[in-house]
Amino acid sequence: SAAGLLSAAALLTLLGWRTLSVVAGGLGAVVALYALTQTTEQTTTIQTTKKPIKFTKSFPFQLAALTHVHNCINWSFFVMQAWLPTYFATELGLDMKSSALFSALPFATMALGSLVSGQASAALLRRMAPFEVRKRMVALSSIVPACALLALSYVKSPATALVLLVTALGAHSFSSAGLHAHVTDVAPTASGRILGFTNTVGVLVGIVANVATGRVLDATGSFKAVFALTAAIYLSEVIAFFGFVRAGPLVAED
């Protein structure tokens, strides 16, 4: 994300929107086809000897709660990824080059945040139960960004906005030590399937988020309502995790 945003201004100036879209789509198709061929080759050499996974009775309800949490994570990420350059250009008056730079830095911070969240979780696991650690990570990854976005609605300085966005997305990255780690805790043999499902739904929600953001901007002419909505989505994430997600196993033992 950070590399793409940093290179966007130069590529747009050189190629234009239409050519850049065609090139990006073409490269994506090549990568997808390559991955598909690799997957096909692997599946032909692997014997399917695994037993069917049996889920517990609480699984459907837990899956719904986990899907909502993942939806919230994706909603906020997709909105930030797609609309930050527009925010810096229209609300704060930055040119294309500066807007790309200011939009990329918060996403670069996410890499550091993911590393810190992993180290912090490992330290906390030495003195508390895994679910308590996951709850803290989810709280941090949702409440801090929500507060930062609400404050961002009243900011007119690009530097201050950048600090708030670095804080928001740096904290957002702690979600991997929350939701994703929790799924591994409660369903180690089915975590891939579960996260594959929740992320698929989350991607669709992310698409809806971008459409909704455009509609809100058209209606209000400002990012204030967009940030307020995204903050509310963040808060619903922590409410869902604390209120409905449980620590018990999701895969039934034989």
Side-chain angles (χ1 to χ4, degrees):
S1 297
L5 288 168
L6 282 172
S7 61
L11 291 173
L12 284 173
T13 303
L14 179 65
L15 302 175
W17 280 106
R18 186 182 298 275
T19 304
L20 180 59
S21 298
V22 172
V23 171
L27 291 174
V30 170
V31 173
L33 288 173
Y34 175 76
L36 182 61
T37 58
Q38 295 301 306
T39 302
T40 303
E41 290 178 1
Q42 290 177 9
T43 53
T44 57
T45 59
I46 297 176
Q47 295 181 350
T48 56
T49 58
K50 294 183 179 180
K51 296 180 180 179
I53 296 175
K54 296 181 180 179
F55 293 104
T56 61
K57 293 181 179 179
S58 64
F59 175 74
F61 181 79
Q62 288 299 295
L63 180 63
L66 293 170
T67 301
H68 177 79
V69 173
H70 211 149
N71 289 346
C72 295
I73 293 171
N74 281 24
W75 178 292
S76 52
F77 180 79
F78 274 56
V79 168
M80 295 297 177
Q81 186 180 49
W83 291 95
L84 282 190
T86 304
Y87 163 72
F88 280 115
T90 60
E91 295 279 319
L92 302 180
L94 297 184
D95 58 28
M96 186 178 294
K97 183 177 180 180
S98 299
S99 178
L101 176 62
F102 273 58
S103 299
L105 289 176
F107 288 97
T109 308
M110 293 186 72
L112 177 61
S114 296
L115 177 63
V116 172
S117 68
Q119 297 296 323
S121 294
L124 290 173
L125 285 170
R126 298 189 188 102
R127 51 192 179 88
M128 63 177 61
F131 189 55
E132 295 303 315
V133 176
R134 310 314 177 200
K135 288 166 65 176
R136 283 161 173 75
M137 295 297 109
V138 169
L140 183 61
S141 69
S142 53
I143 295 174
V144 171
C147 293
L149 290 180
L150 291 175
L152 193 63
S153 302
Y154 302 95
V155 166
K156 298 300 179 183
S157 165
T160 304
L162 180 61
V163 170
L164 288 172
L165 286 167
V166 164
T167 301
L169 287 173
H172 177 103
S173 65
F174 278 61
S175 61
S176 59
L179 170 68
H180 298 76
H182 169 72
V183 174
T184 303
D185 291 338
V186 297
T189 59
S191 57
R193 295 186 185 186
I194 295 172
L195 288 172
F197 174 81
T198 60
N199 191 53
T200 298
V201 178
V203 168
L204 297 176
V205 169
I207 296 171
V208 173
N210 279 316
V211 175
T213 298
R215 297 288 179 85
V216 171
L217 285 174
D218 286 341
T220 64
S222 170
F223 272 87
K224 187 173 183 178
V226 172
F227 291 148
L229 174 60
T230 307
I233 296 292
Y234 268 123
L235 293 178
S236 76
E237 173 190 341
V238 70
I239 290 172
F241 197 90
F242 276 68
F244 303 105
V245 176
R246 297 293 180 261
L250 297 182
V251 177
E253 296 182 1
D254 294 333

